[in-house]
Amino acid sequence: MILILSGSPRKNSINSGLAKYIQNAYEQYNVESLIFDLSSTQLPLFTDEESDYDNENVQKLLKYVEKATSIVICTPEYHNAVSGALKNCLDFLNRDHFFNKKILMFVAGCHGKGGINALNNLRLIMRGVAADVSPQQHVIDGEYFDEEQNLVHEEHQLIVKELIYSLVQFTETKV
Ligand SMILES: Cc1cc2nc3c(=O)[nH]c(=O)nc-3n(C[C@H](O)[C@H](O)[C@H](O)COP(=O)(O)O)c2cc1C
């Protein structure tokens, strides 16, 4: 199973739209994927207390991450970094959760030159959990989504499909 983690806390998030696009593309590849979307599944603030893990959404996150063979992360860029919601989510996880998994990163919703800071920030965070992050990554400007957060730009659709296919090959060698 490939986990698609969408890191925006916003309703009507473009990253949520991208996560859905990726899930549909995986369906076409006959590969199981699940979305964990921080805009609809809120996590408590990580406090490093045992009681953090009583929360049902934290349990769901851990279950999904443990089941995943690979993880696609879609994040917005907030003030030149990933969203606070995504950083908080990743604080619940450690290097054991990422062992022997491939990670692929996308940023959606930026304009102009935006996005690269979020990717660099996420790459640094993922280094902190010793994750195997693909050197390939992609930014998709907000203008390539329609008003219902569907990715509608054909060229970007093709790039996304090509990038996510690399995780299919990795996943197949593990099942
Ligand atoms: C708090 C905040 C900070 C932002 N900072 C940046 C930024 O540094 N660079 C950028 O390109 N866009 C920035 N944006 C614009 C977001 O990238 C844009 O709203 C995007 O749609 C967010 O993705 P989402 O729809 O998935 O939430 C910011 C938006 C918010 C709400």
Side-chain angles (χ1 to χ4, degrees), residues 36-54:
F36 193 93
D37 188 335
L38 293 169
S39 72
S40 52
T41 312
Q42 275 141 20
L43 296 174
L45 187 66
F46 175 76
T47 63
D48 202 22
E49 295 290 330
E50 263 182 48
S51 57
D52 286 352
Y53 296 91
D54 295 340

Side-chain angles (χ1 to χ4, degrees), residues 6-16 75-81 107-111 113-115 117 142 149:
S6 182
S8 171
R10 295 178 60 247
K11 277 184 203 150
N12 303 324
S13 152
I14 284 168
N15 283 279
S16 300
T75 181
E77 179 167 293
Y78 284 177
H79 304 324
N80 299 332
V107 168
C110 291
H111 299 280
K113 287 186 177 168
N117 288 318
Q149 297 81 47

Side-chain angles (χ1 to χ4, degrees), residues 5 36 38 43 46 61 84-93:
L5 177 57
F36 193 93
L38 293 169
L43 296 174
F46 175 76
L61 171 72
L86 178 59
K87 178 62 170 67
N88 182 61
C89 170
L90 294 170
D91 286 343
F92 285 99
L93 305 172

